[in-house]
Amino acid sequence: EADIYQTPRYLVIGTGKKITLECSQTMGHDKMYWYQQDPGMELHLIHYSYGVNSTEKGDLSSESTVSRIRTEHFPLTLESARPSHTSQYLCASSRAGDYGYTFGSGTRLTVV
Amino acid sequence: QKEVEQDPGPLSVPEGAIVSLNCTYSNSAFQYFMWYRQYSRKGPELLMYTYSSGNKEDGRFTAQVDKSSKYISLFIRDSQPSDSATYLCAMDSSYKLIFGSGTRLLVRP
């Protein structure tokens, strides 16, 4: 039973559109993360947060932005989608000091 | 060079076989080592979590860390078709986990 929820699961959208990928967790975890995963490739961290009003960029250059207004909610926004943004986006959370992440099921984004 | 190297497979074994999955890494500062299982169209799920060198066992799964060789392993005993998935190793790096690219495992009935 998932304690971290991502919506939508699948999204096909046109170039130039603004999109928001939703992520919510019910575990009260302080830390939340967004990873990007392409087939056969390692996960790449694009954003992370240590708590409310804390957001940082990860290692992978990204044109997305995130916000953390509530502990349980960590949405990712693409202001202008491009075909290069086509990928799977995974949200995760963890307690402070814990490396055991809990992942959502992911959003598979296709930009046409 | 990647910090974490993992053979992508696929690795195909008959049901009941012992499976060995491995990762090598280059950063000697890593202290925490994880194995995640990822089914198709799902997010990764934490399987094993170990600190520093040594072995850890959980049911049919054993995680092994050899820091001197910078090598970690996951053994699956009595493998089942339901174990068919991609297995990702991961290691800590200050503020994040660094993942291997995953080994795809297929257990044939």
Side-chain angles (χ1 to χ4, degrees), chain A residues 9-10 33 35 37 40-43 45 48 50 57-59 88 90 97-101 103-106 108, chain B residues 2 4 8 32 34 36 38 41-46 49 88 91-102:
Chain A
R9 287 294 313 278
Y10 304 93
Y33 313 85
Y35 279 87
Q37 184 182 34
M41 303 293 288
E42 58 269 33
L43 279 71
L45 181 68
Y48 62 100
Y50 286 145
K57 285 189 178 291
D59 299 326
Q88 170 152 269
L90 290 164
D98 187 352
Y99 289 101
Y101 294 5
F103 280 88
S105 292
R108 191 170 295 273
Chain B
K2 294 180 181 178
V4 179
Y32 293 88
M34 275 71 55
Y36 285 81
Q38 186 174 22
R41 304 191 183 284
K42 296 283 189 182
E45 168 195 12
L46 181 65
Y49 182 152
L88 303 151
M91 302 166 195
D92 68 298
S93 175
S94 60
Y95 60 91
K96 65 176 181 182
L97 291 183
I98 295 179
F99 287 84
S101 54

Side-chain angles (χ1 to χ4, degrees), chain A residues 27-107:
Chain A
M27 297 168 285
H29 286 170
D30 291 318
K31 292 185 171 183
M32 295 191 75
Y33 313 85
W34 277 102
Y35 279 87
Q36 189 172 335
Q37 184 182 34
D38 293 312
M41 303 293 288
E42 58 269 33
L43 279 71
H44 289 290
L45 181 68
I46 48 177
H47 293 284
Y48 62 100
S49 167
Y50 286 145
V52 171
N53 294 326
S54 151
T55 61
E56 302 286 346
K57 285 189 178 291
D59 299 326
L60 187 65
S61 175
S62 173
E63 291 144 353
S64 58
T65 58
V66 292
S67 63
R68 189 91 184 273
I69 299 171
R70 302 195 318 265
T71 298
E72 63 271 21
H73 194 214
F74 191 43
L76 181 144
T77 298
L78 278 168
E79 291 292 333
S80 180
R82 295 212 300 259
S84 59
H85 295 137
T86 294
S87 188
Q88 170 152 269
Y89 293 84
L90 290 164
C91 181
S93 70
S94 69
R95 288 188 185 87
D98 187 352
Y99 289 101
Y101 294 5
T102 301
F103 280 88
S105 292
T107 293

Side-chain angles (χ1 to χ4, degrees), chain B residues 25-68:
Chain B
Y25 62 94
S26 57
N27 189 342
S28 58
F30 291 150
Q31 296 285 349
Y32 293 88
F33 303 89
M34 275 71 55
W35 285 96
Y36 285 81
R37 177 175 62 195
Q38 186 174 22
Y39 291 114
S40 181
R41 304 191 183 284
K42 296 283 189 182
E45 168 195 12
L46 181 65
L47 268 182
M48 301 287 284
Y49 182 152
T50 55
Y51 172 72
S52 195
S53 285
N55 292 358
K56 185 174 182 179
E57 190 173 318
D58 184 1
R60 296 185 295 111
F61 298 90
T62 299
Q64 200 171 76
V65 175
D66 182 349
K67 291 193 73 180
S68 62

